[in-house]
Amino acid sequence: MEEFYAFVRSAWVVWMMALFVGIVAWVLWPSNRDRFRRASRIPLSDDARPAEPAAGAAPARPAAAGKDGA
């Protein structure tokens, strides 16, 4: 049984390394460059309109001011 665990452990390492190399190759593939470049700019985009609430969600209310007015 220990031989089986040793085989599974080494096969798992090989599988994870192959998966990692595959993901890196997919990300760096030239045809995917524009897609990832646009996605990397999403946090920096300036939306002209506020986000809409989710369907069925209650409208947001402003936070109540404290005793000191802050």
Side-chain angles (χ1 to χ4, degrees):
M1 195 62 146
E2 284 190 34
E3 296 91 20
F4 177 71
Y5 288 134
F7 171 74
V8 169
R9 190 177 307 151
S10 62
W12 186 254
V13 170
V14 171
W15 164 246
M16 284 293 142
M17 183 60 78
L19 186 64
F20 175 77
V21 169
I23 290 171
V24 169
W26 176 65
V27 168
L28 296 178
W29 204 257
S31 62
N32 291 332
R33 183 173 294 155
D34 288 336
R35 178 188 327 172
F36 289 115
R37 189 167 288 151
R38 283 184 307 218
S40 71
R41 301 292 299 172
I42 289 173
L44 303 175
S45 67
D46 192 18
D47 291 340
R49 59 187 172 94
E52 297 177 13
R61 288 187 259 160
K67 291 181 182 180
D68 61 356

